[in-house]
Amino acid sequence: MNTPAVRCQNLQKHFGEGDTRIEVLRGVDFTAMAGQLTFLLGPSGCGKTTFLSVIADLLECSGGVVKLFGRDIRSVPAAERVRFRRANLGFVFQQCNLLPSLTATENAAVPLLAAGARRRDAFDRARELLTRLGLGDRLDTLPSRLSGGQQQRVATARALIHQPRLILCDEPTAALDHRAGEAVMELLAAAGLAPDRAVIVVTHDTRLLHFAHSIAKMDDGRIVEVATRDPVSNQPGPALS
Amino acid sequence: MNFVAWKMLLHDRAKYLGLVFAIAFSTFLLENQTSIFAGILKRTASQILDVTDAEVWVMEPSSQYFDDTKPMRDTALLRVRGVPGVRWAVRLYKGLPVARTSTGHFAQSIVTGLDDATLVGAPRRMVLGSWERLREPDSVIVDRAGYFLLFPGEPLALGGRLEMNDHIGIIVGISEASAPFVSFPVLHARYSVAVNFQGQGRNQLSYVVVRSADGIALSELCARITAQTGLRARKTDEFAWDCIQYYLRNTGLPVNFGITIAIALVVGTVVAGQTFYLFTVEHLRQFGTLKALGVSNPRLVAMVLLQAFTVGLIGFGLGTGMAALFFEVSHLKIVTRGITLIWQTVALTGSCMLLVILLASYLSVRRVLVLDPAVIFRS
């Protein structure tokens, strides 16, 4: 039986104080199971990105609890949190956020290098992964000379290279056409999922929902609806309204 | 992650070169101006420092610096010799006669009259001839730069004649005397010859130069001479500094050079510091990405410092190289001879550049440390 990869209870986040205080997350209850690909939908400004940042421990929440693989990482020292994030989280961003000065191989290798791996080992691993992702002929190419789809594949390789247990994706296909988007999602589903791993994808692209095991809809700082795939038929459960 | 820092730095060539050249030119300006300043100030004491045998200089109490001499009575020499702790003391004359050549060229000159018996203070670095020939009648030694001033376009040669105050001086040697503060020829002659080159007053003795006996401290000897003779006695290095300080206090040199040096420092700090700060700011998103990917704050700080010190070292090296090249060329010229790049200015400039780099790094590091890594989720 799958265990929760992410569990949030009554999660709150506000910015500013007094008259300028803005409530972005208003008590989010959310669970993403290990071994599943969870989609997070919602209109712009509903708090999806803030929610993702809080899960990733890049933003402090104002209240509530976030547990990653059963561990409330806010209860551990800052340095250990950095190590935890480095070892267990992978990111795919809407803008890719590749370092423009690094080649595809070097970009993909960054998480391993950050963890202290030897450069040669990290590069070998990155080359191998990029080749598997169809970029074998672009290994030494700078991001500026890659297409949007290729850049996103490099970013995906960077998110996968250290085999993180949780991959967080923010609009990973927004800059891609449908075919390239499908390809990226296939990669994430194939390489990012395992019984002890999970993928959470924030997206507006409803054409990709067939990849989801679970879909949470967010609005006005709360999760307002959750739909899950039927475990027997493997078909989507009750449709989101 | 060091190679990531270097790649980030080198990727933006225009900014990288801008940073390097800002520091290089700032370094060049600072080293150039401070070395010229130091070289010019050293010239004010060059005639003192050239008398390498002297440990103590004795003069009239009202004398402030080398060119400001009030002649003493000849008996001052004997009084100084009578002070316990003086191994030997000899007289030294300093005058500023106008020297004329047979071709009609003339120039005011600095004449140093040396003790007839010992020739203490004779120039040690000779280009042509020898200082021992000063013992010949009416002989003078002229410095190389002065020779070219008095005999323009003529090759160095001995035997030329100079006329000063209706007295003839025959050139028996050409020296490489240290450049004086003003570009006058530097002549050396025996005391008895030199005093005739200028209109004579009742007193002639400019200085008594002294060597101490073994075992006595120079400051103690100076105090004894002053107490016993009423004359002013200064150690050689003190007297040299007296001259330097006189020019610092009474000329516009420190203001003029100070302004240039300050501008170089400000331009270096502002241009290099701000460019580096902007470089970091423009790369904040990349630092944010690294932070989100688990690169720790100490590692990010190390990356920023590595970038700063890389451009700092390269810029400083280039600037010092440019300054060295400048002085390598300029020291061959007559008018700028003796002005060289000194290690003190290199060290001083290096310290200034280090401060610039540290300041720029501090500002940059602060931005990186407070950087919210969630910035990477914002498009």
Side-chain angles (χ1 to χ4, degrees), chain A residues 122-216:
Chain A
F123 287 173
D124 286 346
R125 184 96 167 268
R127 284 191 200 99
E128 181 191 330
L129 187 54
L130 286 169
T131 304
R132 268 174 46 205
L133 296 181
L135 290 171
D137 57 339
R138 314 294 277 171
L139 296 175
D140 297 320
T141 307
L142 291 174
S144 58
R145 302 182 73 90
L146 295 173
S147 68
Q150 289 171 328
Q151 286 186 34
Q152 200 58 284
R153 273 188 280 169
V154 175
T156 306
R158 184 177 65 185
L160 297 170
I161 193 165
H162 55 307
Q163 298 177 310
R165 297 171 72 192
L166 176 64
I167 298 176
L168 301 170
C169 311
D170 186 26
E171 304 278 8
T173 60
L176 307 178
D177 59 34
H178 181 60
R179 181 183 294 181
E182 286 269 342
V184 166
M185 288 309 303
E186 280 169 11
L187 281 173
L188 285 169
L193 286 179
D196 61 339
R197 296 184 195 169
V199 178
I200 298 175
V201 179
V202 167
T203 186
H204 281 106
D205 192 349
T206 53
R207 292 173 301 180
L208 302 172
L209 294 184
H210 58 278
F211 284 99
H213 296 95
S214 171
I215 300 169

Side-chain angles (χ1 to χ4, degrees), chain B residues 28 46 130 149 172 197 201 213 233-234 249 263 284 317 328 332 336 343 370:
Chain B
F28 171 71
S46 58
S130 71
L149 208 63
V172 297
F197 290 156
R234 302 287 281 162
R249 280 196 308 270
I263 288 172
L284 276 181
E328 189 62 26
L332 300 172
T336 48
W343 71 265
V370 301

Side-chain angles (χ1 to χ4, degrees), chain B residues 276-296:
Chain B
F276 185 72
Y277 176 70
L278 289 177
F279 172 85
T280 305
V281 168
E282 286 175 14
H283 288 77
L284 276 181
R285 195 174 181 88
Q286 294 181 39
F287 283 115
T289 302
L290 292 171
K291 213 168 183 177
L293 294 176
V295 178
S296 62

Side-chain angles (χ1 to χ4, degrees), chain A residues 53 85-86 91 93 97 106, chain B residues 7 285 291-292 294 376-377:
Chain A
S53 301
R85 189 167 69 229
R86 193 161 61 206
F91 298 94
F93 312 105
N97 285 325
E106 291 163 347
Chain B
K7 283 212 151 188
R285 195 174 181 88
K291 213 168 183 177
I376 53 170
F377 281 121

Side-chain angles (χ1 to χ4, degrees), chain B residues 21 24 57 80 87 89 94 101 112 123 140 142 151 166 181 213 218 242 282 289 293 301 309 316 319 351 362 377:
Chain B
F21 280 106
W57 290 67
V80 171
R87 181 194 293 175
K94 186 245 164 192
T101 66
T112 305
V140 294
V142 62
F151 301 96
D166 296 332
F181 181 65
L218 291 180
D242 287 346
E282 286 175 14
T289 302
L293 294 176
V301 170
F309 277 86
F316 179 70
S351 305
Y362 171 72
F377 281 121

